[in-house]
Amino acid sequence: MNKNTLETLKKYFGYASFREGQERIVNTILSGRDALAIMPTGAGKSICYQLPALMLPGITIVVSPLISLMQDQVKALNAAGIRAAYINSSLTESQISKALNYAAQGAYKIVYVAPERLETWEFGQFAARAEISMVTVDEAHCISQWGQDFRPSYLKIVDFVNRLEPRPILSAFTATATEEVKEDIVCVLGLQNPEIVVTGFDRENLYYRVESIRKKDNFIIEYVEKHAEESGIIYCATRKNVDEVYELLWKRGVPVAKYHAGMDTEARKKSQEDFIYDRLPVIVATNAFGMGIDKSNVRYVIHYNMPQSMENYYQEAGRAGRDGEPPQCILLFSARDVMIDKFLLEHKDFSEVPPEDIEPIRQRDARRLQIMEGYCQTTSCFRNYILTYFGEKVTSPCDNCGNCHREYHEVDMTAEAKAVLDCVSETKGRYGQAVVVGTLLGANRARLKELGTIHYKSYGSLKDLGEKEIKSLIHQMIVEGYLYQTDDQYSVLKIGNKTLAELENATILVKMYEEKEPSRRQQRGSRRRNTDMLTGEGFELFELLRGLRLEIAREEAVPPYIIFSDKTLIDMCVKLPEDRGTMLDVSGVGQAKYEKYGQRFLTAIREYREKQGDMEICETAEEAAGLPEAESQKGTFDRTEYNRAHNRPEGASRTWDAAEDEELKREFGFGMKIAEIARQHDRTYGAIRARLKKQGMIE
Ligand code: ADP
Ligand code: ZN
C-alpha cells in the first residue's frame, strides 16, 4: 500500500482508507497508464481521479457533461482546499479568458470543462501552453451511441487529446456496465492498454421493493407523510404525472418541489436548489432530474411508473443513500403501465431513423421493457435480479429487499396445476394469460364468449380460487417449465417442455405472499440507520451539529453536504473529538476542512458536553442489536429554514399550552390526519408529529 496516496487521501478528503477499486485506479494512473473505471453511482469515482490529479505534476482536465455537475464538484474541491475551476457557458467571455490565463500559469490542479469547449480556439491555445498531465472523461458512457445519453461532442475528445504533446494519461469513468458501452469507451476514446476496473455493482445499503398496486396516490401520501422528515425523490414517467403527484402532496401540506423539462430554466433551477439545500425535502420529477445531483442524504426514491430500462432504474434508484445509510428504493407497478409502455413503443417515431435500424431498435426496446417487467414481477430476490442483469454472479438471496423480507406460505397446488394444463391444451396455445385465467375462473366476460372458451371443459374448473392465486400458480408453472409464455407482443401461453407424466410424479408448491412493510428492525446489523445508534442525547447533539452546519452553509452559500456529510456528523457524535488530533480521526474531516470548520465544531461539542455532564451518546453494537427501534428517524430537513422560505415564521417556534395539547389529542383521537391538524393549528407537520409523540399518542 502506498503510504503517500493514503496520506493525501486523509489530508484532503478526510478518509482513512480506500473503497473497493479506488486504490487500483489511483495507482494505475500514477504509474502513467490509462484507466477505465466502471463503478456504480455513489461508489466514489471522483476521488479516483481527483487524488492522482493532486499528485501528478501538471493540470488535470476533467471533461464532464453537465454544468451543475461541474459546479458542485468544484465547490466541494475548493472546500477541501484543492485549487480547481470550471470553464463553461455559465461564465462570460472575459471570465473564461481570465480563468484560462490563471490555469495556464498553474493556478489550478483540476479544470472542469464541457466537451464542446475542447474544440474552441481559445481552449486549444491554452492547452498548447499548459502542462496537462491527465485528461479525465467523466460520465464516459456519453461517448457511446449504445447508451441512453449519447453526446456527439464526446467524440471530439480524442482529437483534442491527440493534439497534446506529450500525450497525457487518459482516464475514463462511468456507471454503465454493458459490454457494448465498455467497448465503445475503450475504442472510441482510444485508451492505450488501459487498466479496466469494474467494481461490484451491489449497493448493499439500498433496500429494493416493488409494490403492485392500483391506488398509487394513496401509497405515496401515506409513505411520504410517514417519512415526513426524510428527503426523497418521486420519479414519474410524464410531466402530467409530475404535476398531479406534486399537487396531491402540496395540497396535503407536504414541503415538496417539482421538476420537469416543461418548466422554465429559472423555475427548474429553483426547485433543484430548494431540494439540494433541504428547503424542500421531497421532489417530484421526470427523469430529466438527477444527473449531477449528488445530494448525499436522499432516504427514498419512489418510482411512480416503471422506468424504461434497468440502466435507468439502477441509476435513478441509486441516487438514494449515497452517504451509506439505508434508504428505500420503491417501484410502484401496475399492469396498466406496461400496457402504456407497449403502446408507446408501438407508436414510437422512427422518422429520423435509417430504415435498417428500426427493427433492431424495436427489439432492443421490447427487450428492455421485458426485463423491467420481469423485475416487477419476480418473486425472488430483487437485488440478485439486478446484479444478474449487470452480469454479476450471485449466490444467495440478499436478505435486504422486499422479496427477501416478504412473508409467504407454500401451498400444494398440484391438482390445480393439472386444471391449468387442461385449459391451456384446450386453447391450443392460442391465448394469453388473461383468457386462461378468466376461463379457469369461469368469468362471465364477452371476450370469453366470443372466443368460445366458455364451452371448454376447464371453464370454471378453478372457480374457488382467486385471480391472484391462479396467476401465482401460472407463474410457478412457467418457472418450472410446465408452461411457456411467448416473447412476442401477444405473449400467449403454451404447454411447456415438461410432460403431463412428469407432473403426475411431482408436487407444485406455490408461494403465497403477504405484503408487508419491512420494519426497521429487520434491517439488521450494519444496515441499520446509523443515527439509530445514537441515544436521545446523541441525537440532540447531532441536531445541534446539523444546525451549525446549516449556519456555515448559509454563510458560504453552499449546500450543507459540501461542508460535511451526515455521516461525518454522526461520526463526530460517536467519537466526540476534543482536539485537533481526534477531530482529524473523524471520517470525512480532512486538513483543509479542519482548518476552516474544525474549531467551531469542537467548540459546539465541548459546550454541549459541559451543559449535559456525563452522558451516553451512542449504544455499543451489542446493546444496539438487542434494543428496540430508535424512536426518532430524522433526515436533514430543516423546518426552520422551510418556514422561513415560506413565510411561516411563527409556526415552528410558538410555544404549546395545555389547551392546545388537549385539542390536539381530541382531533387526533377523532381520526384527523396529522397534515390536517397541522393546517388547523397553523403549525408544521413535524411539530404536530413531535408533539403527539411526546404525549405518547403515536410511536
Ligand atoms: P460517484 O461519483 O461514484 O457516484 P462520489 O465520488 O460522488 O461517487 O462519492 C460518493 C460519496 O462517497 C461521496 O460523499 C464521497 O466523499 C464518499 N467517498 C468516496 N471515497 C470514499 C472513501 N474512500 N471513504 C469514505 N467515503 C468516500
Ligand atoms: Zn433480496
Side-chain angles (χ1 to χ4, degrees):
M1 197 173 279
N2 187 332
K3 191 156 158 278
N4 236 334
T5 53
L6 263 186
E7 269 170 14
T8 315
L9 178 70
K10 181 68 211 165
K11 177 172 169 199
Y12 286 98
F13 301 97
Y15 300 128
S17 59
F18 284 107
R19 288 204 189 141
E20 189 197 345
Q22 286 180 328
E23 195 177 21
R24 225 172 99 204
I25 298 162
V26 169
N27 287 339
T28 300
I29 293 173
L30 289 177
S31 73
R33 204 173 138 195
D34 286 358
L36 165 61
I38 300 173
M39 297 163 90
T41 308
K45 286 186 280 297
S46 325
I47 282 178
C48 297
Y49 59 83
Q50 291 168 348
L51 186 66
L54 287 173
M55 300 177 72
L56 289 169
I59 302 172
T60 289
I61 306 283
V62 182
V63 184
S64 171
L66 286 181
I67 291 181
S68 64
L69 203 75
M70 296 183 212
Q71 291 172 337
D72 252 34
Q73 293 272 7
V74 168
K75 265 183 207 159
L77 286 169
N78 290 339
I82 297 165
R83 289 170 294 129
Y86 55 81
I87 291 173
N88 61 36
S89 57
S90 74
L91 304 178
T92 63
E93 283 304 314
S94 80
Q95 283 173 321
I96 290 177
S97 303
K98 225 188 224 161
L100 284 177
N101 251 324
Y102 284 141
Q105 290 161 22
Y108 309 119
K109 286 304 282 179
I110 305 180
V111 175
Y112 283 81
V113 295
E116 294 79 15
R117 182 69 42 189
L118 301 175
E119 302 166 55
T120 64
W121 180 82
E122 200 180 17
F123 197 82
Q125 289 298 103
F126 148 76
R129 279 190 291 161
E131 182 189 1
I132 296 176
S133 302
M134 173 161 71
V135 172
T136 292
V137 183
D138 200 7
E139 311 287 353
H141 58 278
C142 292
I143 206 166
S144 170
Q145 316 205 25
W146 282 100
Q148 321 241 330
D149 315 306
F150 174 56
R151 301 257 304 218
S153 52
Y154 261 62
L155 298 173
K156 302 290 169 78
I157 299 173
V158 199
D159 298 337
F160 171 75
V161 172
N162 287 342
R163 283 197 296 269
L164 296 176
E165 184 62 48
R167 181 185 185 273
I169 303 163
L170 212 50
S171 58
F173 295 84
T174 180
T176 304
T178 55
E179 220 27 60
E180 295 106 336
V181 171
K182 188 164 103 188
E183 280 166 17
D184 270 6
I185 295 173
V186 173
C187 298
V188 182
L189 263 186
L191 297 180
Q192 292 176 5
N193 178 30
E195 170 94 356
I196 301 179
V197 176
V198 185
T199 63
F201 254 64
D202 191 13
R203 296 268 310 278
E204 274 184 21
N205 61 323
L206 302 191
Y207 187 96
Y208 299 104
R209 60 193 254 226
V210 172
E211 298 291 333
S212 299
I213 40 172
R214 262 197 257 149
K215 298 196 168 152
K216 295 179 174 184
D217 290 353
N218 294 355
F219 179 91
I220 297 262
I221 290 171
E222 199 181 313
Y223 190 91
V224 171
E225 292 192 344
K226 214 161 158 186
H227 298 82
E229 287 165 47
E230 298 182 352
S231 183
I233 306 176
I234 300 166
Y235 278 112
C236 301
T238 64
R239 294 173 189 184
K240 188 162 161 279
N241 275 346
V242 168
D243 289 337
E244 285 165 3
V245 174
Y246 169 81
E247 269 304 282
L248 184 78
L249 291 174
W250 180 252
K251 277 198 187 127
R252 295 188 66 98
V254 174
V256 59
K258 70 170 174 174
Y259 189 106
H260 59 63
M263 295 156 59
D264 64 46
T265 323
E266 265 314 295
R268 280 205 314 251
K269 185 159 168 249
K270 182 164 181 321
S271 291
Q272 179 164 327
E273 284 182 356
D274 280 344
F275 179 67
I276 288 181
Y277 285 77
D278 279 329
R279 290 191 287 259
L280 298 174
V282 182
I283 192 162
V284 186
T286 60
N287 62 5
F289 175 78
M291 245 255 243
I293 303 293
D294 52 9
K295 190 172 195 289
S296 64
N297 67 338
V298 176
R299 294 273 72 86
Y300 60 86
V301 171
I302 299 178
H303 278 77
Y304 192 81
N305 308 98
M306 190 173 83
Q308 279 158 5
S309 72
M310 201 53 166
E311 279 84 1
N312 282 14
Y313 185 60
Y314 195 67
Q315 190 165 51
E316 286 157 19
R319 299 208 165 101
R322 278 175 168 248
D323 53 10
E325 301 280 295
Q328 297 251 329
C329 305
I330 307 169
L331 201 163
L332 305 185
F333 175 68
S334 75
R336 215 178 132 250
D337 284 350
V338 178
M339 273 156 51
I340 293 172
D341 281 332
K342 284 195 174 144
F343 176 85
L344 290 177
L345 285 189
E346 275 158 26
H347 295 79
K348 193 165 172 166
D349 176 17
F350 283 111
S351 54
E352 307 269 307
V353 177
E356 66 273 20
D357 284 357
I358 294 179
E359 197 42 39
I361 293 178
R362 263 192 206 290
Q363 280 175 9
R364 187 192 63 191
D365 289 347
R367 175 105 194 102
R368 279 184 181 153
L369 197 62
Q370 213 177 41
I371 285 163
M372 276 320 296
E373 233 186 291
Y375 176 77
C376 294
Q377 292 182 318
T378 182
T379 47
S380 43
C381 177
F382 287 125
R383 173 171 276 99
N384 285 354
Y385 188 98
I386 296 174
L387 294 177
T388 308
Y389 174 74
F390 285 117
E392 286 201 16
K393 283 209 177 58
V394 297
T395 45
S396 51
C398 74
D399 196 24
N400 188 38
C401 78
N403 276 347
C404 286
H405 281 178
R406 260 203 302 184
E407 285 189 357
Y408 63 86
H409 54 273
E410 282 185 323
V411 185
D412 181 345
M413 294 181 85
T414 316
E416 289 82 354
K418 187 150 177 323
V420 174
L421 283 181
D422 288 342
C423 182
V424 174
S425 302
E426 281 181 292
T427 68
K428 302 200 172 61
R430 285 171 302 174
Y431 306 132
Q433 172 169 296
V435 170
V436 172
V437 173
T439 304
L440 287 164
L441 281 170
N444 179 18
R445 288 181 203 150
R447 173 90 178 128
L448 300 183
K449 288 197 186 109
E450 188 187 316
L451 295 174
T453 65
I454 54 165
H455 305 301
Y456 285 2
K457 277 208 213 78
S458 59
Y459 182 75
S461 60
L462 294 182
K463 62 179 187 304
D464 294 336
L465 293 186
E467 185 169 333
K468 210 170 149 190
E469 284 153 341
I470 299 181
K471 281 185 181 165
S472 301
L473 171 60
I474 290 177
H475 177 90
Q476 188 62 30
M477 291 174 72
I478 294 172
V479 170
E480 294 192 23
Y482 292 104
L483 290 176
Y484 167 74
Q485 191 164 28
T486 59
D487 281 350
D488 56 18
Q489 66 189 94
Y490 304 107
S491 179
V492 297
L493 278 180
K494 293 176 182 296
I495 300 290
N497 50 19
K498 275 198 187 166
T499 62
L500 209 59
E502 279 177 274
L503 182 59
E504 298 292 324
N505 302 317
T507 318
I508 300 228
L509 295 175
V510 180
K511 289 178 178 153
M512 294 292 167
Y513 289 93
E514 284 129 45
E515 307 279 352
K516 73 182 187 60
E517 227 190 296
S519 80
R520 286 275 155 206
R521 230 169 307 170
Q522 271 174 310
Q523 301 193 15
R524 304 153 297 130
S526 62
R527 288 181 187 130
R528 271 167 45 116
R529 176 184 303 270
N530 277 335
T531 48
D532 282 5
M533 301 284 282
L534 301 176
T535 60
E537 280 81 12
F539 215 93
E540 218 174 284
L541 177 59
F542 174 63
E543 293 282 285
L544 194 106
L545 298 183
R546 274 184 35 200
L548 176 57
R549 176 178 67 179
L550 192 69
E551 196 180 307
I552 299 175
R554 281 219 203 93
E555 288 165 16
E556 305 200 350
V558 295
Y561 64 82
I562 296 273
I563 313 285
F564 285 130
S565 70
D566 278 9
K567 217 181 164 84
T568 298
L569 297 188
I570 293 168
D571 206 34
M572 282 186 202
C573 296
V574 172
K575 293 191 175 138
L576 294 174
E578 292 175 332
D579 51 23
R580 184 172 191 279
T582 42
M583 186 56 119
L584 281 170
D585 274 349
V586 172
S587 172
V589 182
Q591 259 172 39
K593 289 201 178 171
Y594 176 81
E595 303 306 338
K596 274 195 245 171
Y597 318 121
Q599 270 311 328
R600 288 172 78 174
F601 281 88
L602 279 176
T603 310
I605 294 168
R606 197 185 56 241
E607 285 176 2
Y608 182 76
R609 297 186 72 187
E610 279 165 4
K611 194 182 87 196
Q612 289 292 323
D614 266 349
M615 61 175 176
E616 291 285 323
I617 289 287
C618 79
E619 307 159 358
T620 61
E622 301 85 77
E623 273 174 345
L627 279 176
E629 300 170 43
E631 32 164 22
S632 199
Q633 303 160 0
K634 301 198 175 178
T636 57
F637 169 50
D638 185 84
R639 181 59 68 176
T640 325
E641 175 68 28
Y642 171 65
N643 285 329
R644 194 167 299 157
H646 290 82
N647 298 321
R648 285 201 210 150
E650 296 309 314
S653 52
R654 234 166 48 216
T655 53
W656 295 85
D657 57 26
E660 193 177 356
D661 272 348
E662 276 313 302
E663 270 173 30
L664 202 64
K665 274 192 206 160
R666 209 171 44 238
E667 288 160 354
F668 188 72
F670 276 135
M672 258 171 85
K673 294 260 187 252
I674 297 185
E676 226 169 313
I677 302 176
R679 253 193 312 279
Q680 296 266 331
H681 288 242
D682 190 24
R683 286 185 186 274
T684 60
Y685 184 95
I688 299 288
R689 213 169 70 120
R691 198 69 193 169
L692 287 170
K693 209 187 240 174
K694 197 157 185 175
Q695 298 177 343
M697 300 288 286
I698 50 174
E699 286 268 302

